[in-house]
Amino acid sequence: MTHATETWNFPAPGVLRLPSGRLIRGRGLRYPLPAGPKPTFALYLLGKEPPPATWQFQWLHWPDFRLPTDRTAAAAALREALERAGSERVEVACGGGLGRTGTALACMAVLDGVPGREAVAYVREHYARRAVETPWQRGFVRRFG
């Protein structure tokens, strides 16, 4: 498979470029699927099981405005998504595409080398200015790694 930078249309709204060059699309599942290529893998962060998709996905139980219920599983899923983003079109999504998605993207930025104390600002600058909505989500990112 080609490298992710060749498969996502970039720059595009909702696509975060990490320091390594990996691209990850964040989005809100409440909104229509964006035009362009579909993901080959997605990580869905929801309080209930997501609807079916035509691509491979993993679901993390992550209630709105909160943190993942299983932090160990969340860390493993984020690592896998980051790894897959090196060669696949990876999407991370929650209901609105800001709080849980922003938190997950910030944690992936930490895994990609951004210091935890800078990861929220990085995602707000490069993905969405309102990403990572709650104080406990910001704390989760600072301690992630």
Side-chain angles (χ1 to χ4, degrees):
M1 183 161 280
T2 59
H3 188 272
T5 57
E6 299 168 359
T7 56
W8 278 129
N9 295 329
F10 189 80
V15 176
L16 173 68
R17 182 185 297 274
L18 293 168
S20 65
R22 287 183 167 101
L23 300 174
I24 301 168
R25 181 172 74 189
R27 77 176 179 106
L29 293 172
R30 286 188 216 119
Y31 308 107
L33 187 65
K38 292 181 173 52
T40 55
F41 176 76
L43 182 58
Y44 294 137
L45 318 167
L46 299 166
K48 63 180 183 176
E49 194 166 346
T54 58
W55 48 84
Q56 185 179 12
F57 70 89
Q58 182 175 357
W59 168 49
L60 280 178
H61 188 260
W62 191 330
D64 203 6
F65 297 106
R66 305 218 188 269
L67 298 174
T69 55
D70 183 337
R71 309 240 170 92
T72 302
L78 293 168
R79 283 183 178 88
E80 178 184 354
L82 178 64
E83 180 64 30
R84 292 177 81 146
S87 61
E88 299 179 52
R89 290 184 307 272
V90 173
E91 170 177 272
V92 175
C94 63
L98 294 174
R100 294 167 285 182
T101 296
T103 303
L105 292 173
C107 289
M108 294 170 82
V110 170
L111 293 172
D112 203 56
V114 177
R117 68 187 179 284
E118 298 171 18
V120 171
Y122 182 88
V123 169
R124 286 178 174 171
E125 179 181 345
H126 299 283
Y127 168 67
R129 64 180 174 80
R130 292 180 22 235
V132 191
E133 296 175 313
T134 68
W136 41 93
Q137 289 172 340
R138 288 189 298 273
F140 182 71
V141 173
R142 275 192 308 274
R143 294 184 300 276
F144 191 80

